[in-house]
Amino acid sequence: MPESPTEAQVRPGVEGDLVALTDIYNHYVRETALTFDTTPFTPEQRLPWLRSHPEDGPHRLLVAQDVRLVGPASILGYATSSAFRPKAAYTTSVEVSVYCAPRATGRGIGTLLYASLFEALADEDLHRAYAGITQPNDASGRLHERFGFRHVGTYAEVGRKFGTYWDVAWYEKRLGPQP
């Protein structure tokens, strides 16, 4: 029997989400090469990351929550915009990412999160968004292309995880007013 449609809402992430967000991220740390972190985090270790994404400004953390559930099981995924690089001239660029709970992949949650994230960023002083996608990952490439990202290059064998070297494709999207 097919699963019933998810009734999801997107909202800013809060400290009460930290355990669920850490669990989602740690799945990708332990099971995939989609992140190059190799050691799972504790929620305490992830707290500075969460706090680096305030409710407003260019660096956001948005959470998708199943409105029919309560507690950590209600968190379906999250999207972030983070500093692209630490130098001052990069402040109008952000790196974006989206992670879905394993049970929520393929259900439109990533699309919902990105739509909300780019809407939230529309009034910020931003010029470009960048996303690095470990290869192969056709689903993520298609998601980014649907949101107007274009492939700008690939770093070959840039990271080693699980005894394998992985390529990372870089995508960029223009933000802010269009000429």
Side-chain angles (χ1 to χ4, degrees), residues 110-116 118 142-149 173:
T111 298
L112 176 66
L113 283 161
Y114 260 1
S116 298
F118 293 120
R142 286 190 305 271
L143 172 68
H144 286 84
E145 288 168 359
R146 277 196 312 273
F147 279 92
F149 283 81
K173 171 184 173 72

Side-chain angles (χ1 to χ4, degrees), residues 3-179:
E3 187 171 335
S4 62
T6 301
E7 296 178 37
Q9 70 176 11
V10 176
R11 59 171 176 74
V14 296
E15 286 190 24
D17 301 325
L18 187 58
V19 170
L21 298 177
T22 303
D23 287 346
I24 290 170
Y25 189 71
N26 282 342
H27 163 78
Y28 292 94
V29 171
R30 286 188 309 270
E31 305 296 329
T32 77
L34 299 183
T35 175
F36 284 177
D37 281 314
T38 59
T39 303
F41 290 86
T42 65
E44 294 76 22
Q45 290 170 318
R46 289 288 279 179
L47 187 57
W49 163 83
L50 185 138
R51 289 181 175 163
S52 72
H53 296 90
E55 192 169 322
D56 57 3
H59 303 145
R60 307 277 182 111
L61 165 62
L62 297 179
V63 171
Q65 180 175 12
D66 187 327
V67 298
R68 301 169 302 172
L69 302 173
V70 294
S74 70
I75 304 300
L76 301 168
Y78 66 91
T80 60
S81 58
S82 303
F84 177 65
R85 296 284 185 266
K87 296 179 180 168
Y90 288 115
T91 60
T92 60
S93 296
V94 290
E95 185 172 347
V96 297
S97 61
V98 62
Y99 287 91
C100 293
R103 69 186 184 288
T105 59
R107 294 168 47 192
I109 300 302
T111 298
L112 176 66
L113 283 161
Y114 260 1
S116 298
L117 180 65
F118 293 120
E119 181 180 327
L121 296 177
D123 294 328
E124 297 296 334
D125 181 24
L126 292 173
H127 187 61
R128 290 281 192 272
Y130 294 92
I133 304 172
T134 304
Q135 299 298 297
N137 190 337
D138 293 337
S140 186
R142 286 190 305 271
L143 172 68
H144 286 84
E145 288 168 359
R146 277 196 312 273
F147 279 92
F149 283 81
R150 66 181 184 91
H151 180 250
V152 293
T154 300
Y155 293 156
E157 298 181 347
V158 68
R160 185 173 66 189
K161 187 172 180 181
F162 305 134
T164 299
Y165 286 97
W166 300 92
D167 296 350
V168 174
W170 283 94
Y171 287 74
E172 109 181 325
K173 171 184 173 72
R174 183 181 180 93
L175 300 174
Q178 303 300 310

